[in-house]
Amino acid sequence: MSAVEQRPAYDWEHARIGDVAGAVTVEITADAVRQFNTTQQQAAGLPIEPDDPDLLAVPPVMVRVFAPLRRRELVAENGAEYPNHPTPAIRWSCRFFNEPKVGDRIVSVTRVQDKYIRKDRHFLEWRVDANRNDGTPVAEFTYVNLWDRGRAEDRNR
Amino acid sequence: MTAIHRKPDFGSIKVGETLPPLRWTAGIKDVEAFGEVLYSKTSSRATNPHLNAEYASQHIYGGLTVDGNQTVDFLCRMVASWLPRNASLSHDSVLDIKFPNPCRVGDTVEFRGTVTETSSDDQHHTVHVDVIAENQSNKVIAVGRISASLSR
């Protein structure tokens, strides 16, 4: 059996509050912001003007791009295997301190903030702290995932 | 094309006011395009329940679902396109969104918002908007609050 096969599954019992992934740095580029905004404006049927400065305004959800959640990396860094089933999002809470701008280099760290059971379902809560590389805080967010395989009735939801 | 009805300033925003709704049909092209801008180039499509139909069919919801981040982005765009130009959703702001049910590819979704509170301090105004997204079966797929700040 290889070393990979011997890794334990990162199931709810295995996860520990405080598990952390090493910091990662991502630069916010104009191309990425323009592409993100154009894609979503088109999908929403909202107007797009090529010279609109709003196309280079960093939308809140792009925090997920420049401060990625990195669950799989965290699991790997903690010597485990990521679950072999989807882990649906249940809640996303984000607080912004300073507006992210094109050109910012964002340093972020992901950790397991909490684990809990509600109505016999198991949840993991992740936290990501995102700062500019000079230490200025940009945002912090928590993201809750269902960590179970789901139930038969979920197929009808 | 959805028309924009932007509020001119903070003083024109009233508690109880409803925002013009946004409607979207969750087509696979839009979902895949969002994946292109959200996911890293190295992330695996094989285990992505938003992009891989075969994988999604074998798991919890039995089919492709929309990434919750895409849903939140539409809620943000609905709010941002209505607030005055000096408003920001990513400076001194808070988003708190729950996903009670999956949004399935093919769903038609209506995004709505209602101003529930406004406040001011020395530096900025804040507008709190309760937001909700429902599919064609009136199932809530996202619900929560977006609090935006406006510079004074």
Side-chain angles (χ1 to χ4, degrees):
Chain A
M1 186 176 288
S2 72
V4 171
E5 288 169 329
Q6 291 172 350
R7 288 183 168 194
Y10 198 84
D11 54 21
W12 188 85
E13 287 77 14
H14 186 90
R16 293 167 302 180
I17 296 171
D19 282 351
V20 65
V24 65
T25 302
V26 177
E27 181 173 347
I28 304 174
T29 67
D31 284 350
V33 174
R34 189 182 294 108
Q35 185 184 358
F36 191 104
N37 282 327
T38 302
T39 296
Q40 284 295 91
Q41 287 286 103
Q42 283 177 338
L46 292 167
I48 304 170
E49 295 169 21
D51 297 330
D52 186 346
D54 284 353
L55 284 182
L56 288 178
V58 182
V61 172
M62 269 199 87
V63 71
R64 294 296 312 279
V65 175
F66 61 74
L69 190 48
R70 301 178 73 236
R71 287 165 295 192
R72 291 179 183 275
E73 290 84 348
L74 183 149
V75 168
E77 287 182 28
N78 285 273
E81 283 290 299
Y82 199 82
N84 62 359
H85 57 83
T87 52
I90 302 300
R91 183 175 188 169
W92 187 54
S93 303
C94 185
R95 176 178 295 275
F96 285 91
F97 304 103
N98 291 287
E99 189 156 0
K101 307 270 191 192
V102 168
D104 282 353
R105 289 175 61 80
I106 305 297
V107 182
S108 66
V109 174
T110 300
R111 55 176 50 86
V112 176
Q113 168 144 306
D114 200 4
K115 55 186 282 188
Y116 53 84
I117 302 171
R118 298 276 191 279
K119 298 179 180 176
D120 293 326
R121 292 186 190 249
H122 297 75
F123 299 91
L124 289 187
E125 180 175 308
W126 313 81
R127 176 185 168 123
V128 177
D129 291 278
N131 301 301
R132 294 195 185 108
N133 59 351
D134 66 1
T136 306
V138 171
E140 64 183 29
F141 68 84
T142 58
Y143 205 82
V144 179
N145 290 103
L146 174 66
W147 216 247
D148 297 329
R149 289 183 175 277
R151 301 171 180 167
E153 62 263 34
D154 289 329
R155 290 187 167 242
N156 298 318
R157 289 173 63 193
Chain B
M1 187 72 69
T2 303
I4 298 292
H5 302 284
R6 190 180 292 281
K7 302 297 281 188
D9 51 40
F10 176 73
S12 67
I13 298 170
K14 307 301 179 195
V15 171
E17 204 167 356
T18 58
L19 281 64
L22 193 64
R23 294 181 183 86
W24 174 60
T25 297
I28 188 63
K29 286 185 178 177
D30 286 348
V31 173
E32 291 194 340
F34 187 73
E36 286 289 316
V37 297
L38 184 72
Y39 309 131
S40 75
K41 303 302 180 196
T42 58
S43 68
S44 172
R45 187 184 175 102
T47 56
N48 189 317
H50 314 300
L51 300 178
N52 187 320
E54 184 177 352
Y55 177 76
S57 71
Q58 297 166 359
H59 292 287
I60 178 168
Y61 297 129
L64 288 173
T65 56
V66 174
D67 190 312
N69 293 292
Q70 190 163 21
T71 308
V72 175
D73 187 76
F74 285 129
L75 289 169
C76 290
R77 283 177 199 279
M78 172 187 66
V79 174
S81 65
W82 181 78
L83 287 173
R85 284 222 169 258
N86 64 331
S88 175
L89 273 60
S90 52
H91 182 87
D92 286 334
S93 57
V94 177
L95 288 73
D96 187 11
I97 308 293
K98 295 179 181 176
F99 310 105
N101 290 293
C103 178
R104 295 176 180 276
V105 169
D107 277 359
T108 297
V109 184
E110 183 169 275
F111 303 88
R112 300 191 302 273
T114 303
V115 178
T116 51
E117 187 182 347
T118 61
S119 59
S120 301
D121 62 24
D122 291 345
Q123 295 186 333
H124 56 263
H125 306 291
T126 303
V127 179
H128 304 277
V129 181
D130 280 3
V131 294
I132 189 168
E134 288 183 332
N135 70 9
Q136 68 284 351
S137 303
N138 300 118
K139 286 186 178 177
V140 176
I141 60 166
V143 62
R145 173 176 270 207
I146 294 174
S147 300
S149 68
L150 290 75
S151 54
R152 294 191 68 136

